[in-house]
Amino acid sequence: MDWKHEISAARDRIAPHIRRTPVLSATGFGLDYPVALKLEQMQHTGSFKARGAFNTLLSQPVPEAGLVAASGGNHGAAVAYAATRLGHRARIYVPEIAGPAKIALIRDQGAELQIVPGTYAEAAARAAEWRDATGAMDIHAYDAPATNAGQGTCMAEWEDQGLEADTVLIAVGGGGLIAGAMAWLNGRRKVVAVEPETSCALHAALQAGAPVDVQVSGVAANALGARRIGTACFELAQAQAIESVLVPDSAITAAQHALWRDMRQLVEPAGATALAALMSGAYRPAPGETVAVLICGGNIAPDPLQG
Amino acid sequence: MDWKHEISAARDRIAPHIRRTPVLSATGFGLDYPVALKLEQMQHTGSFKARGAFNTLLSQPVPEAGLVAASGGNHGAAVAYAATRLGHRARIYVPEIAGPAKIALIRDQGAELQIVPGTYAEAAARAAEWRDATGAMDIHAYDAPATNAGQGTCMAEWEDQGLEADTVLIAVGGGGLIAGAMAWLNGRRKVVAVEPETSCALHAALQAGAPVDVQVSGVAANALGARRIGTACFELAQAQAIESVLVPDSAITAAQHALWRDMRQLVEPAGATALAALMSGAYRPAPGETVAVLICGGNIAPDPLQG
């Protein structure tokens, strides 16, 4: 895969549809050094996922039946948003346990919402039935080249905005975002993968030498709780020998509070996970090493203005 | 007053202490044109007020007794933060009615907090007693040259970040922020003053031809509810013949919701007031006119992570 070419093409393709999210350098968070931040939670639908969704829809034929996805969260919202904007149907099967805030988020994007009693597995089964019956396109949440190339535009954009850090910390769920970042950077900067202790599919895969199934739980599980790491992510992480660190839920919650207290950014637990690695000391920069943290999602529940 | 010189000097003076807040161009908010935004609510203590506080403390001798202020909100937090950072004492008299979130915000900055039963008037009386007894410095919230020059650095910074808009919309309370902006721009861009219908000291002054006392109430009153517009603000607004528009509370609340829904920025009502002028049509750009909105404060109550 010529990732540089794929990500550059994705960047041009999705540029009219995505938001160029802001960056800044900030002190605070109890750290004695500044941190470069990119506020990707300000992307359309509140996470980086819109990048991969647009790139997928714009790089291949979309069937008359449109899109289908099973998701109770950021992926479903992004697919619904991108499909609606581009004039395609989108049917999203949402597990009832996703909760009213996430369900409202997906509904607001204009999708045909199907609320499925039970867990994600039932929603996924219903989505597969619909796909098989209609020919609708099923977009994987993180393990597809067009998705990874789309997410890679986030790091390309950050470099275009003048990123200077030696090291970039990125939260990992299924690995779509960090795969895109590793693919774009190709070793030019150090990448640190940050996972919750209780949802660590990449960490487990790197230890086992191959993707393995893991149990997932914890405060960030609804966004980072992938049971198995994506193939491209695993291969890039292994080839580049990136550093993988884990953080406890308490550190994620502390980082979430610090982002509000010190910078008035209210993010979901997944969005605070990379910063948690610095605040907790799970990752300690060497003297003189400059660091950057990607804030990846802001879809907190309950809705702070409704709850 | 040579405002260009004063604001340039303030910018150099406060640079090590303030955050260079991010800017972006964004679509959304139900508008069919993009809006340039500056996220000044990400400033230390959650509003632009830190700029004026630092400039005041760094441009004149500070007495041994330190600072004193009466404030239940953003000014008190900024004075406390700047004083503590620069090694001065700060005693802030907070009216009990400010509520627990604002009181906690001020306490967190390391000030000597004095909670005063009753309203702002009682807190102000106690602050004056302390000033007279100790010689502590009393910083006005909006009507002093060093404060206005400090707030003016916000617009100077925005231009340095590449602001291209024809017109800038700014919320007005006592007028410190917009005074600094008018002073810096000196007519180079159109400035639109946005006030709540129920707290409109500038609008009333422009109609009367001189500053007059007004009644204040409404959702943004705790930040924008100045009873009388600042002198410099009035004089600059009259001399530059800027446009003054009013928005109802319902428009402010709608803009606050839109900032969260479309961009995951949770701000206080005052911080959404300038955007409300566009969303409500209180200000309608001419064809081809490009617009910018300054987001000025994020200290929402109650604290969204405490409930």
Side-chain angles (χ1 to χ4, degrees), chain A residues 236-262:
Chain A
L236 286 160
Q238 196 179 46
Q240 296 186 10
I242 68 159
E243 188 161 341
S244 159
V245 302
L246 303 181
V247 290
D249 272 9
S250 59
I252 295 172
T253 301
Q256 197 183 12
H257 279 79
L259 280 163
W260 176 254
R261 183 191 66 223
D262 290 354

Side-chain angles (χ1 to χ4, degrees), chain B residues 81-108:
Chain B
Y81 177 85
T84 303
R85 287 289 163 140
L86 297 175
H88 303 298
R89 294 181 62 185
R91 178 176 280 235
I92 313 292
Y93 289 86
V94 182
E96 196 171 19
I97 56 159
K102 297 272 182 174
I103 290 173
L105 171 67
I106 295 171
R107 178 182 286 124
D108 288 350

Side-chain angles (χ1 to χ4, degrees), chain A residues 46-49 71-75 102 141-142 171-177 196 199 216-227 268-273 296-300:
Chain A
S47 85
F48 65 91
K49 296 272 188 180
S71 169
N74 295 341
H75 173 61
K102 297 272 181 173
Y142 54 84
V172 178
L177 179 60
S199 294
V216 298
S217 64
V219 294
N222 88 334
L224 301 183
R227 302 215 27 213
E268 64 188 291
T273 295
C296 56
N299 291 322
I300 198 168

Side-chain angles (χ1 to χ4, degrees), chain B residues 184-268:
Chain B
W184 176 256
L185 292 173
N186 196 24
R188 283 184 289 107
R189 300 176 200 272
K190 182 173 179 180
V191 174
V192 177
V194 186
E195 291 171 287
E197 289 177 349
T198 54
S199 293
C200 56
L202 175 59
H203 196 79
L206 290 172
Q207 289 206 309
V212 290
D213 280 353
V214 296
Q215 297 295 315
V216 298
S217 64
V219 295
N222 88 333
L224 300 183
R227 302 210 35 209
R228 181 179 275 249
I229 198 69
T231 312
C233 176
F234 172 73
E235 290 174 356
L236 286 160
Q238 196 179 47
Q240 297 186 10
I242 68 160
E243 188 162 340
S244 158
V245 302
L246 303 181
V247 290
D249 272 9
S250 59
I252 295 172
T253 302
Q256 199 183 12
H257 279 79
L259 280 163
W260 175 254
R261 184 191 66 223
D262 291 353
M263 216 171 66
R264 300 299 177 277
Q265 293 298 290
L266 186 65
V267 305
E268 64 188 290

Side-chain angles (χ1 to χ4, degrees), chain A residues 11-12 19-21 38 43 64 70 106 123 140 142 144 182 187 204 216 230 240 251 254 268 279 283 292 295 303:
Chain A
R11 182 168 54 177
D12 295 344
R19 185 170 281 159
R20 189 175 167 90
T21 54
K38 184 166 175 67
Q43 191 52 261
E64 184 70 22
I106 295 170
H140 195 279
Y142 54 84
M182 291 185 290
V216 298
Q240 296 186 10
E268 64 188 291
M279 288 177 57
Y283 183 77
I295 308 290
D303 183 323

Side-chain angles (χ1 to χ4, degrees), chain A residues 181-193:
Chain A
M182 291 185 290
W184 176 256
L185 292 174
N186 196 24
R188 284 184 287 108
R189 298 176 201 273
K190 182 173 180 180
V191 174
V192 177

